[in-house]
Amino acid sequence: MTSQIENALSTLYEGINYSLEFITPEKAQFYLEKNFENNRKISRNNLEELKREMKNSRFILSDSAICFDTDGILVNGQHRLLAVVQTGMTQPFLVVKNMPS
């Protein structure tokens, strides 16, 4: 890769922040309030499966992050966050903020 392309990519991604967070039900609710308006509808089956995994201690940290765009809008993770709220169980997640649109 040329240094010009590397510099352009470096500039594009320089504001991205990432961390491991243990998200409580309260924090999950706070994050859900930042969900984007036209996000897909909640899949009841997907939500129930996530809740089962959490309740049975089978939910594990994965490579799929909870993501927020540069405006602080939640763009990935609504089902997992809702499962945390509904189970009342804190769970670990990778959280990425300031993702370019």
Side-chain angles (χ1 to χ4, degrees):
M1 192 180 308
T2 69
S3 66
Q4 186 177 16
I5 293 171
E6 288 175 8
N7 288 339
L9 289 173
S10 176
T11 300
L12 177 65
Y13 298 125
E14 71 184 352
I16 293 176
N17 299 311
Y18 51 91
S19 62
L20 171 63
E21 290 186 24
F22 291 87
I23 298 180
T24 64
E26 295 79 18
K27 182 76 165 224
Q29 184 61 50
F30 174 76
Y31 281 166
L32 283 167
E33 291 168 7
K34 300 180 178 309
N35 202 355
F36 71 96
E37 188 175 324
N38 296 318
N39 202 343
R40 64 186 172 133
K41 293 184 188 254
I42 296 295
S43 163
R44 192 60 46 201
N45 290 339
N46 187 9
L47 179 59
E48 292 304 318
E49 177 62 24
L50 287 165
K51 288 167 49 178
R52 262 191 308 278
E53 293 296 306
M54 289 177 185
K55 288 177 183 177
N56 291 313
S57 300
R58 291 191 311 250
F59 186 83
I60 59 170
L61 180 66
S62 75
D63 60 353
S64 183
I66 305 296
C67 294
F68 296 88
D69 69 10
T70 54
D71 294 321
I73 304 299
L74 176 68
V75 295
N76 189 36
Q78 69 175 349
H79 284 84
R80 288 169 285 154
L81 292 171
L82 188 56
V84 168
V85 169
Q86 291 187 2
T87 61
M89 300 176 72
T90 299
Q91 298 292 337
F93 294 98
L94 295 174
V95 178
V96 179
K97 296 179 179 175
N98 295 318
M99 286 291 289
S101 298

